[in-house]
Amino acid sequence: MNDQSRSQYAAAAHVPLIKSPSLRVPRPIELPPDIHPLPDSVTAYFVYPFTLEPHVLTVEAARRSTLAAHAVRREAYLKAHEDEKERRKREALRRIAPGFEPKATPLIPTKRMSGVPGQPGSASEPDAHFGEGGLEHKRTKSVMEDLVDQLAALDSK
């Protein structure tokens, strides 16, 4: 017996192969005629023109100063935005609880001007004015103030 019949691929030796029509052999690569190998030393290719150095340094300094100015403006804008948010939050809290300051420990009472003659603080009411009979109140009470007064009257009875 010959080597081909004893081989593990003996059965596949007589199978016909068909070339697919979609496959094609690529064209051989053609090298350009002026190609040459690199020299032994490549240091001649690494030449730095020091004439550009002053220009690069001035452009870099201007770029850094511009970046610093932008960073300062950005930080100022962010701080102003945070301060505005804090101010709005404090105002909203003061509308709910007058005199409330989140960073202070005790609640600081603020005097509300009543506008009723004979009570302290009524003369400094901004909407009050002097008339013939003394101090007169120009504006009417709001619905909430009226409700508070009615509840206080019920508690006192």
Side-chain angles (χ1 to χ4, degrees):
M1 289 188 137
N2 62 8
D3 289 335
Q4 209 173 21
S5 63
R6 284 186 277 159
S7 167
Q8 62 180 352
Y9 301 111
H14 301 292
V15 175
L17 295 177
I18 301 172
K19 179 182 171 189
S20 171
S22 65
L23 296 177
R24 62 181 175 81
V25 178
R27 293 180 310 173
I29 298 173
E30 296 179 13
L31 295 176
D34 61 343
I35 193 167
H36 60 85
L38 285 177
D40 295 332
S41 173
V42 291
T43 56
Y45 291 101
F46 301 116
V47 176
Y48 179 74
F50 287 99
T51 57
L52 298 175
E53 194 75 18
H55 173 69
V56 170
L57 291 178
T58 57
V59 169
E60 179 64 18
R63 186 187 69 84
R64 284 188 182 172
S65 65
T66 303
L67 283 176
H70 284 290
V72 167
R73 283 181 45 205
R74 180 179 173 274
E75 290 298 322
Y77 174 77
L78 290 176
K79 185 176 182 332
H81 183 68
E82 286 297 321
D83 291 346
E84 181 66 20
K85 279 176 39 177
E86 280 293 319
R87 185 188 63 76
R88 286 183 186 164
K89 185 177 178 182
R90 275 182 289 170
E91 284 178 2
L93 288 172
R94 282 195 197 118
R95 270 186 254 127
I96 296 169
F100 178 72
E101 182 63 38
K103 294 185 177 152
T105 48
L107 185 64
I108 304 165
T110 57
K111 296 187 180 197
R112 296 188 69 180
M113 305 303 162
S114 66
V116 178
Q119 286 191 356
S122 64
S124 63
E125 179 76 13
D127 290 338
H129 68 280
F130 290 98
E132 296 174 7
L135 183 67
E136 294 180 14
H137 193 64
K138 192 166 72 173
R139 74 176 182 102
T140 60
K141 288 186 178 181
S142 70
V143 176
M144 190 59 111
E145 290 172 342
D146 192 30
L147 178 66
V148 169
D149 290 341
Q150 289 174 5
L151 289 174
L154 285 175
D155 284 343
S156 64
K157 289 184 181 178

